Amino acid sequence: NAALNYGILGLHTCGDLGPVLIKMFVKDAKAVLLESVGCCYMKIEKHFPMSAFIRDVVTSWKLTYTNAELACHAVEMYADRLRTGEQDKLKVHCYRAVLEKLLVSKDPQLKHTILKSVNNAHLLPFHEYAAKATSKLS
């Protein structure tokens, strides 16, 4: 149907997927709605900055791994977990930091490498978390 309009929906548009959806939306007049919930900004590799102003004029601002990583984490969530006695769920961040330190000591090119997400990591001992998180590394 030539008159068919559609919407583009994205939940957990990890890394470059968010910018790709925006570009798809802009290029197609039949796309009448865009709803995108971005995440994992530290995984953006090709589509930043999208703004010509930021790219051409504000050259002092760069997307570093640190500020992209911080954009993914709300301090309110951490405070709520501490307040409600769920601090053990924050263990995964400690696990990730220790694992990265170990990986980088073995191979510096593994700094900020993308690891596999591990469900219920806070319930696992470190060695099980590490095995699961690195299962897709070559």
Side-chain angles (χ1 to χ4, degrees):
N1 184 347
L4 181 64
N5 292 324
Y6 67 96
I8 298 173
L9 303 173
L11 177 61
H12 202 308
T13 55
C14 194
D16 284 319
L17 182 56
V20 167
L21 291 181
I22 294 169
K23 288 178 179 186
M24 287 173 54
F25 177 75
V26 169
K27 288 182 179 180
D28 191 348
K30 291 184 180 191
V32 296
L33 172 119
L34 173 64
E35 183 74 33
S36 177
V37 180
C39 64
C40 305
Y41 305 111
M42 67 285 199
K43 295 179 183 178
I44 292 175
E45 295 179 6
K46 299 178 184 174
H47 301 281
F48 185 86
M50 292 182 70
S51 162
F53 177 77
I54 297 292
R55 184 177 51 251
D56 300 335
V57 178
V58 187
T59 56
S60 63
W61 199 91
K62 302 289 182 215
L63 181 65
T64 65
Y65 182 87
T66 301
N67 59 25
E69 179 74 31
L70 287 171
C72 292
H73 302 284
V75 71
E76 297 86 2
M77 179 191 76
Y78 298 114
D80 285 345
R81 288 201 170 151
L82 291 170
R83 231 185 334 270
T84 60
E86 296 181 293
Q87 60 273 9
D88 59 327
K89 289 185 178 177
L90 300 174
K91 190 187 322 183
V92 67
H93 302 290
C94 238
Y95 278 2
R96 176 64 174 91
V98 170
L99 183 54
E100 178 161 337
K101 187 76 171 162
L102 292 171
L103 289 170
V104 170
S105 71
K106 188 172 179 104
D107 181 356
Q109 291 187 356
L110 292 174
K111 184 175 183 176
H112 305 312
T113 194
I114 296 173
L115 299 176
K116 187 172 183 272
S117 294
V118 177
N119 291 334
N120 297 311
H122 65 288
L123 301 175
L124 301 175
F126 178 76
H127 70 279
E128 285 182 36
Y129 165 80
K132 290 181 180 196
T134 58
S135 65
K136 292 193 176 190
L137 292 180
S138 53

